[in-house]
Amino acid sequence: DSVGDVIHYSITATNDGNTTLASVTVTDPNATGLTCTPANGSSLSPGASLSCTASHTITQADIDAGSYFNQACVDDGPGGAASKCADVTTPGSKNPHLAITKVATESGFNAVGQVIHYTIVATNDGNVTLSNVLVTDPNAAALTCLPSNPVASLAPGATINCTATHTITQADLNAGSYFNQACVDDGA
């Protein structure tokens, strides 16, 4: 569920035929640190196996996809045995989540025409990249956001920083306060 997590693979390639294979090689192009015992390229008698290990370090793309597919293959080159492959899909834990804060610069008001200035920060505090993230503040004016609004792609930990204003009316003065709410959503 996190970038940098490591998936560890165990790979066993067995000569299940009836002749010795001269040069058996395991490949796993989407993993790193492939190590085999005996070494890749060794001969294998019938019933013998190569035992290998490899790993993959999770990227943001893997988390966004929700799983990681990996395939290892074994071949003896021109020796005549057919190449065989095995694969595994490791599921990830997606946690899409947004947070938002809103602060007014002014601590109060006492006249019609005064302006309340708002600072709004929306954060992707989940572990998945979110699309089309939109900040709304329908009871404020001049909502302006950076990097944009909506944001086409908001990575985990990234923020949208917005400002908005409200000009005090007689109704606000009569009420004694002004309530304002900003929201953030990715539409999902």
Side-chain angles (χ1 to χ4, degrees):
D1 66 356
S2 300
V3 172
D5 283 353
V6 179
I7 301 171
H8 298 278
Y9 299 106
S10 296
I11 306 156
T12 303
T14 303
N15 179 353
D16 60 357
N18 62 2
T19 59
T20 298
L21 303 174
S23 180
V24 179
T25 301
V26 171
T27 57
D28 194 343
N30 293 320
T32 58
L34 179 67
T35 305
C36 298
T37 304
N40 257 338
S42 296
S43 64
L44 281 185
S45 58
S49 298
L50 257 81
S51 295
C52 307
T53 58
S55 63
H56 172 72
T57 301
I58 297 300
T59 66
Q60 187 61 54
D62 300 333
I63 294 173
D64 291 346
S67 63
Y68 185 73
F69 172 83
N70 193 20
Q71 183 178 67
C73 297
V74 63
D75 195 7
D76 74 332
S83 175
K84 295 289 182 177
C85 298
D87 59 69
V88 62
T89 299
T90 305
S93 296
K94 294 172 90 171
N95 179 28
H97 196 265
L98 288 163
I100 189 168
T101 60
K102 181 174 185 175
V103 177
T105 302
E106 292 74 23
S107 60
F109 60 87
N110 59 13
V112 171
Q114 284 182 311
V115 177
I116 300 173
H117 298 85
Y118 300 106
T119 302
I120 304 157
V121 179
T123 304
N124 178 350
D125 63 348
N127 70 348
V128 202
T129 301
L130 300 174
S131 301
N132 299 315
V133 180
L134 178 67
V135 174
T136 56
D137 195 344
N139 294 320
L143 179 67
T144 305
C145 299
L146 290 174
S148 63
N149 197 32
V151 173
S153 179
L154 191 65
T159 61
I160 305 170
N161 297 290
C162 306
T163 57
T165 60
H166 172 72
T167 302
I168 298 302
T169 65
Q170 186 62 52
D172 301 333
L173 276 174
N174 294 345
S177 64
Y178 182 72
F179 173 80
N180 193 2
Q181 183 179 62
C183 298
V184 62
D185 191 16
D186 70 343

